[in-house]
Amino acid sequence: MKTSEVIADLKRRFPNEPEYHQAVEEVLTSIEDVYNKHPRFERYNLIERLCIPDRIFAFRVSWVDDSGKVRSNMGYRVQHNNAIGPYKGGIRFHSSVNLSILKFLAFEQTFKNSLTTLAMGGAKGGSDFSPRGKSDMEIMRFCQAFVAELWRQIGADTDVPAGDIGVGAREVGYMYGFYKKMAREFTGTFTGKGLSFGGSLIRPEATGYGNCYFLLNMLATRGIDIKDKKVAISGAGNVATYTAQKLLSLGAKVVSMSDSGGSVIAPDGFTREQFDYIFELKTYMGGRLHEVPERFPELKYYPGERPWKLVKCDIAMPSATQNELDGSDAEALLAGGCFAVSEGANMPSTPEAVHRFIDARILYAPGKAANAGGVATSGLEMAQNSQKLSWSAQEVDNRLREIMAGIHDRCVEFGREDDGYVNYVNGANIAGFMKVADAMMAQGIL
Ligand code: NDP
Ligand code: 2IT
């Protein structure tokens, strides 16, 4: 296999899918040597079967808004690979959603889920529906119309969706409710459910907490204490807020948060009171970060700007969306003394930024390793649902810590270079790939 030839072929066959090409290229570059050491892989054309999704569902979702107007959006589910377990991955509702983005996310999910050691294949779905500004009833009608199309393709042992951008507990509740009505079964077909109907404690917190646990493991390899370290975070959604919450409890200083409107900066770190307000504003009040200085005039808001060039930090945890940190942002972070980047979002750093971090030999964890705590805890929710049991928060949190430590160990095992530097990108890609490849080889040409 020659990475450049495979990429050229995929670009020719699937044009206009830049995010998909980007994600595939990153993984293939990491695994090229390992792949070429196993001639059997080539005989079975494993690479093509691993890069192209098993199947894709695309459908129109029509719904009626509060004014009585009939609206239509596109809906999708990309079932990428189920070699090691049922398809598993979130649903994204955002105006930017298209097939390229969902194909990149489903591809990444396959390796991420493999890293967790749990039995989960890779999938992703979503819609270009934007929940922003929609009423609760509009959200419900949309979720029902979406699941009316999707429900036949999913199931507790087939394909288990969850949340992602624009999809949290409320949307999962509406989707699960409608699924239950159509399928006439009460099973764990969605994760991220409410606690009263099969949800798991710690699932809402899991991606952010898991990223902090991964970061602690990375820092430990260099004997660095998190206390008083300045951490720049982007985003102010599920992942970003629980990352910030855990960091504050660990004694770190959170110096930024952002939303799609701009960034709020606190050069010496948000106080608990300031953070609690931001959490309430973004999680429950549907607010925007530009409102923060009205309540705390000492905090500065920068419209239209991402945090990376606005404030000095020791650590960066991008937690909003893909390609939100580019080469010049990476330069600025490195110039400011940043020595660790741990990704909460999926593929937030552009390839140029990733190269700069690795060339500078800083601790750099790609999303598929660092943010795997969310889907891992979804896997724990599936396990609880199968057993018809619920575990305590302590038990789930302990398992999450263990899983993140295990992912870190595998990244070190597969990613350590001759000079001792741990290349977490190679480590995560190779470790994730080997398990899926082994299962695919054993199961024949499918
Ligand atoms: P949320 O919808 O809860 O929050 C997303 C945050 O990012 C919001 O603050 C949003 O701003 C901002 N944002 C979204 N899109 C853009 C954009 N195009 N430009 C600028 N800002 C943007 O999503 P999550 O926190 O769940 O997801 C964040 C990231 O983490 C995504 O990459 C997701 O794939 C990844 N992830 C999520 C997991 C989960 O369990 N939820 C698990 C693993 C990864 P605004 O408020 O203005 O919309
Ligand atoms: O990107 C991700 O890992 C998620 N959005 C979580 C998926 C899940 O199934 O919990």
Side-chain angles (χ1 to χ4, degrees):
M1 184 261 286
K2 266 196 94 181
T3 299
S4 53
E5 286 170 13
V6 179
I7 293 292
D9 187 48
L10 290 176
K11 283 185 177 165
R12 184 183 56 76
R13 293 165 71 188
F14 309 104
N16 309 318
E17 297 186 353
E19 293 87 1
Y20 172 60
H21 304 151
Q22 182 184 336
V24 169
E25 185 156 13
E26 187 221 89
V27 170
L28 296 195
T29 305
S30 287
I31 65 169
E32 186 166 7
D33 288 348
V34 178
Y35 187 90
N36 288 333
K37 279 194 193 122
H38 295 78
R40 269 167 18 104
F41 290 168
E42 189 67 14
R43 267 203 310 282
Y44 279 68
N45 196 2
L46 193 78
I47 213 61
E48 198 172 45
R49 291 192 294 125
L50 189 66
C51 293
I52 301 176
D54 288 355
R55 66 190 67 78
I56 298 174
F57 300 102
F59 44 91
R60 174 176 45 76
V61 184
S62 290
W63 55 285
V64 183
D65 72 16
D66 286 346
S67 71
K69 192 170 157 208
V70 179
R71 314 269 291 254
S72 291
N73 289 95
M74 280 306 295
Y76 308 93
R77 185 72 177 167
V78 179
Q79 295 183 336
H80 189 84
N81 185 294
N82 69 348
I84 64 168
Y87 298 108
K88 178 84 194 91
I91 302 263
R92 178 177 291 192
F93 291 164
H94 192 269
S95 53
S96 63
V97 163
N98 59 36
L99 254 191
S100 172
I101 289 175
L102 295 180
K103 280 174 72 177
F104 116 65
L105 288 163
F107 175 81
E108 289 280 287
Q109 197 80 44
T110 302
F111 300 90
K112 184 196 303 193
N113 293 3
S114 167
L115 280 172
T116 66
T117 70
L118 305 176
M120 299 183 291
K124 202 85 186 191
S127 173
D128 57 0
F129 170 79
S130 172
R132 167 129 9 117
K134 303 289 188 304
S135 73
D136 204 53
M137 286 296 138
E138 288 176 325
I139 303 266
M140 184 184 75
R141 286 196 291 275
F142 178 80
C143 288
Q144 294 182 340
F146 183 82
V147 172
E149 277 294 327
L150 189 63
W151 76 275
R152 284 182 196 280
Q153 321 302 346
I154 58 178
D157 293 319
T158 311
D159 182 354
V160 182
D164 193 80
I165 291 177
V167 177
R170 174 181 59 167
E171 292 74 18
V172 168
Y174 291 147
M175 287 193 276
Y176 180 68
F178 201 74
Y179 173 80
K180 182 171 63 68
K181 183 179 170 74
M182 299 304 283
R184 304 198 184 172
E185 58 170 43
F186 195 107
T187 54
T189 295
F190 279 78
T191 60
K193 300 184 291 298
L195 282 180
S196 55
F197 54 97
S200 176
L201 287 162
I202 304 294
R203 176 62 188 91
E205 297 87 346
T207 312
Y209 283 17
N211 193 10
C212 294
Y213 300 153
F214 195 92
L215 174 71
L216 292 178
N217 279 285
M218 283 207 295
L219 295 180
T221 64
R222 296 192 179 177
I224 300 169
D225 189 350
I226 184 86
K227 193 156 183 334
D228 292 329
K229 296 294 174 299
K230 292 187 173 177
V231 186
I233 296 178
S234 62
N238 173 272
V239 178
T241 50
Y242 285 110
T243 301
Q245 190 194 71
K246 179 58 79 178
L247 287 169
L248 289 184
S249 73
L250 290 167
K253 295 180 192 300
V254 175
V255 296
S256 69
M257 302 207 65
S258 67
D259 62 16
S260 50
S263 301
V264 173
I265 301 297
D268 295 318
F270 294 111
T271 63
R272 202 11 113 167
E273 194 193 357
Q274 290 165 344
F275 169 71
D276 287 347
Y277 174 74
I278 292 173
F279 184 87
E280 286 285 317
L281 182 74
K282 292 301 295 184
T283 310
Y284 301 116
M285 290 153 58
R288 316 284 307 151
L289 287 182
H290 69 72
E291 297 166 46
V292 172
E294 289 162 25
R295 172 76 184 270
F296 295 103
E298 65 276 26
L299 293 176
K300 193 145 185 227
Y301 176 75
Y302 295 83
E305 295 205 46
R306 302 180 295 205
W308 320 122
K309 290 178 182 156
L310 298 176
V311 62
K312 278 198 170 161
C313 65
D314 302 303
I315 299 165
M317 299 177 87
S319 306
T321 193
Q322 64 276 354
N323 292 327
E324 53 159 323
L325 194 165
D326 63 18
S328 71
D329 295 322
E331 285 286 295
L333 285 169
L334 292 168
C338 174
F339 56 75
V341 177
S342 202
E343 295 182 342
N346 286 306
M347 207 168 75
S349 305
T350 64
E352 202 190 345
V354 175
H355 287 139
R356 282 179 202 222
F357 292 145
I358 291 177
D359 286 349
R361 293 324 221 195
I362 67 163
L363 297 167
Y364 167 69
K368 67 170 77 67
N371 73 34
V375 73
T377 307
S378 280
L380 301 179
E381 183 172 329
M382 289 162 71
Q384 294 169 76
N385 291 164
S386 300
Q387 293 176 300
K388 306 264 191 288
L389 289 175
S390 22
W391 303 336
S392 68
Q394 193 61 54
E395 168 148 20
V396 179
D397 196 39
N398 287 344
R399 285 179 189 257
L400 173 61
R401 282 174 202 264
E402 272 170 31
I403 289 169
M404 298 315 294
I407 296 173
H408 182 268
D409 286 350
R410 277 184 295 287
C411 288
V412 171
E413 183 187 339
F414 288 91
R416 195 181 285 287
E417 299 188 343
D418 293 342
D419 62 359
Y421 176 69
V422 179
N423 183 323
Y424 287 87
V425 175
N426 286 345
N429 287 335
I430 296 169
F433 164 74
M434 285 310 284
K435 184 175 170 191
V436 177
D438 188 60
M440 287 177 73
M441 293 301 290
Q443 292 169 22
I445 312 281
L446 300 172

